[in-house]
Amino acid sequence: YPGYWEESEKNVLNIVKKTIGPGTSQGRFLDAGCGEGRLIPLFADQFNEIVAIDPDQERLRVAVELVCDLGLSRKTQIKQVAIEDFEDNNKFDFILCSHVLQHVHTASVPVIIKKLRNLVKEDGLLCITTCHSTKNEGYFVKNFLKKSQHLSEAITKDEFNLLINSGESLPVHFFQSNELDKLLSSNELKVIEFRVFHLETGLQGVKNNEKMDEAAN
């Protein structure tokens, strides 16, 4: 239905907002891989210090404009740096890493998870959104445009890693739940919520697409 992707994401992230609660309004928020900063406004009112990082200069330029337009410049730092290379003297109450892991080299995934673990406070919250495999294992695809059609083709792990930052197509890693669980638990991170949004197909027995979010979760 119209706006399904955006509404689905908002529904899940509003659960994260409730989990954070109002009590951390004096805390620190890191948007790790912020892109154009579209999710900064959603959490901005819950923190008095925001740090947004991304390696892409052009996308950060849009993020800077957005932060200025929203009047958040005084409490927001925007830095051009990859997550793996980011350093900060103080830890964060909340870290958001949205739609990053599925687009990085597979060797970088555990490095990023470890970095985020080192940056979050012991009682802090880490929210990761990424592509979830509904199969018994993780898998890889490449998305590309052909004759004005958006197509998706299955590829191997090696092909995926070769396509990273190549600009030829958009490679995507679909993670199996256990794959991420093992990475998180090995870094002493505990999963307290797992939610689904942006289903690619309908659900059996669900005729009304507007009920898909509720049924999936």
Side-chain angles (χ1 to χ4, degrees), residues 11-52:
N11 288 342
V12 170
L13 293 181
N14 277 335
I15 294 171
V16 179
K17 281 182 66 69
K18 290 177 182 177
T19 305
I20 295 169
T24 54
S25 58
Q26 298 302 306
R28 307 183 76 220
F29 161 37
L30 171 65
D31 191 342
C34 67
E36 296 181 350
R38 67 184 182 88
L39 295 180
I40 293 174
L42 186 63
F43 299 99
D45 62 339
Q46 292 174 284
F47 301 94
N48 70 340
E49 185 179 350
I50 302 166
V51 180

Side-chain angles (χ1 to χ4, degrees), residues 122-191:
E122 290 300 316
D123 60 347
L125 183 69
L126 167 64
C127 172
I128 295 173
T129 68
T130 191
C131 292
H132 170 236
S133 168
T134 55
K135 302 178 181 179
N136 292 325
E137 59 185 8
Y139 64 95
F140 306 88
V141 303
K142 65 176 180 180
N143 297 326
F144 56 96
L145 193 65
K146 185 176 182 180
K147 295 181 179 178
S148 300
Q149 284 188 312
H150 289 279
L151 302 176
S152 183
E153 179 182 311
I155 56 176
T156 66
K157 176 180 175 180
D158 289 340
E159 288 174 313
F160 169 85
N161 285 329
L162 285 173
L163 285 172
I164 295 295
N165 299 323
S166 69
E168 295 177 20
S169 61
L170 180 65
V172 183
H173 181 177
F174 284 77
F175 291 87
Q176 211 281 329
S177 294
N178 289 341
E179 185 181 0
L180 282 178
D181 286 345
K182 288 178 182 177
L183 278 171
L184 295 169
S185 61
S186 66
N187 284 280
E188 300 180 329
L189 289 162
K190 178 183 177 182
V191 178

Side-chain angles (χ1 to χ4, degrees), residues 3-103:
Y4 166 59
W5 197 96
E6 294 82 0
E7 288 301 311
S8 271
E9 181 182 48
K10 189 192 300 181
N11 288 342
V12 170
L13 293 181
N14 277 335
I15 294 171
V16 179
K17 281 182 66 69
K18 290 177 182 177
T19 305
I20 295 169
T24 54
S25 58
Q26 298 302 306
R28 307 183 76 220
F29 161 37
L30 171 65
D31 191 342
C34 67
E36 296 181 350
R38 67 184 182 88
L39 295 180
I40 293 174
L42 186 63
F43 299 99
D45 62 339
Q46 292 174 284
F47 301 94
N48 70 340
E49 185 179 350
I50 302 166
V51 180
I53 64 173
D54 198 279
D56 190 312
Q57 186 177 16
E58 290 304 314
R59 299 179 77 190
L60 280 185
R61 190 168 294 153
V62 178
V64 169
E65 292 177 2
L66 175 65
V67 165
C68 290
D69 291 343
L70 295 172
L72 298 172
S73 299
R74 295 184 68 178
K75 68 175 185 179
T76 304
Q77 300 177 57
I78 295 182
K79 301 181 179 183
Q80 184 183 356
V81 60
I83 299 172
E84 304 96 306
D85 301 323
F86 176 65
E87 300 290 342
D88 197 286
N89 293 327
N90 298 308
K91 296 197 175 186
F92 294 86
D93 298 273
F94 172 57
I95 298 178
L96 174 68
C97 184
S98 179
H99 296 293
V100 173
L101 296 186
Q102 71 261 34
H103 299 309

